[in-house]
Amino acid sequence: MEILNKVTNLKPSDFDEVVLASGSPRRREILTQIGMKFRVVVSNDEEAPKSKNPLDFPRENASAKALSVSANERDALVLGFDTLVFLDGEPLGKPGTPEKALEMLKRLNGRAHKVVTGVAVARNGVLLCATEEETEVFFRNNTLQELEDYVNSKDPMDKAGAYGIQTQGARLISGIRGCYYNVVGLPVARLLDVLGRLKETT
């Protein structure tokens, strides 16, 4: 599902700098990598999606973050993102404990799963666009020792699904189908597509 609202009060200069409603260092790195000018204002809102379909959660959470920050950032384009790992339709968030991380990794091991990132753009407390990107990720048949060694590295603890494809978690993965940057947490092509279409509505 995608929401793209027609807007009439945006100017080309509004796209010169955006606000990132996320404290994620990985998202900051990606925006810097693609040369986008931005500043960070972290949303402190609790994630409370209302949909009965968990696959809608990333889009709802991204929208809530963007709306929350945009209400206090007059005339700025605010970007919200939320990434979840799904296995058999069940969302896997951040593990919280090493034991939970190992449990998640055992479930993912040797299987394919989905990574879904919600992408939202808001301005002055109004949602301009909300959509999502999906990537399929394939885990190797890792040994228990390999999984335990990765958990002991502490790398999984702040990551949805208990792994990071851009860090040591890369050794657990045999391949992906779709956008790599989506798995990291910010689908570049999807974001640029959204911003391009918003420009066309002005």
Side-chain angles (χ1 to χ4, degrees):
M1 178 182 172
E2 179 175 88
I3 300 168
L4 183 64
N5 294 319
K6 184 174 178 62
V7 290
T8 58
N9 59 342
L10 287 177
K11 307 179 297 295
S13 59
D14 291 327
F15 296 86
D16 292 342
E17 181 184 73
V18 299
V19 174
L20 173 62
S22 171
S24 165
R26 294 170 289 278
R27 293 186 177 121
R28 293 199 300 267
E29 289 168 4
I30 292 173
L31 288 183
T32 300
Q33 179 181 338
I34 64 175
M36 186 169 288
K37 294 181 180 179
F38 68 96
R39 52 192 173 87
V40 175
V41 179
V42 179
S43 169
N44 295 314
D45 276 19
E46 293 286 336
E47 295 180 358
K50 298 177 181 178
S51 175
K52 294 181 179 179
N53 182 359
L55 289 171
D56 292 336
F57 291 176
R59 186 180 66 254
E60 287 192 28
N61 290 335
S63 299
K65 293 174 185 178
L67 285 169
S68 173
V69 171
S70 74
N72 298 309
E73 295 292 325
R74 183 169 177 78
D75 294 335
L77 283 183
V78 179
L79 310 181
F81 301 93
D82 187 69
T83 302
L84 283 175
V85 170
F86 289 87
L87 182 66
D88 298 328
E90 177 188 350
L92 303 180
K94 298 175 183 179
T97 67
E99 293 77 17
K100 185 65 174 178
L102 184 59
E103 176 188 333
M104 285 186 185
L105 293 172
K106 285 180 178 179
R107 293 180 61 192
L108 295 170
N109 201 33
R111 299 189 59 191
H113 64 272
K114 295 178 181 180
V115 177
V116 180
T117 298
V119 180
V121 183
R123 186 172 186 259
N124 294 332
V126 177
L127 187 65
L128 304 183
C129 182
T131 186
E132 64 278 313
E133 183 70 22
E134 181 180 303
T135 301
E136 193 170 18
V137 180
F138 304 87
F139 260 43
R140 295 173 50 238
N141 285 307
N142 301 278
T143 66
L144 178 59
Q145 187 63 58
E146 287 175 317
L147 297 180
E148 289 176 342
D149 288 345
Y150 179 55
V151 171
N152 290 335
S153 76
K154 310 298 183 186
D155 188 61
M157 302 313 300
D158 66 336
K159 298 173 178 65
Y163 74 91
I165 193 172
Q166 76 285 359
T167 53
Q168 294 184 42
R171 65 195 189 199
L172 308 179
I173 296 166
S174 63
I176 69 171
R177 181 182 292 122
C179 175
Y180 164 82
Y181 291 102
N182 182 51
V183 186
V184 182
L186 195 159
V188 172
R190 177 70 68 178
L191 172 63
L192 295 179
D193 176 63
V194 164
L195 293 178
R197 286 186 289 145
L198 284 174
K199 285 183 181 180
E200 292 174 358
T201 67
T202 62

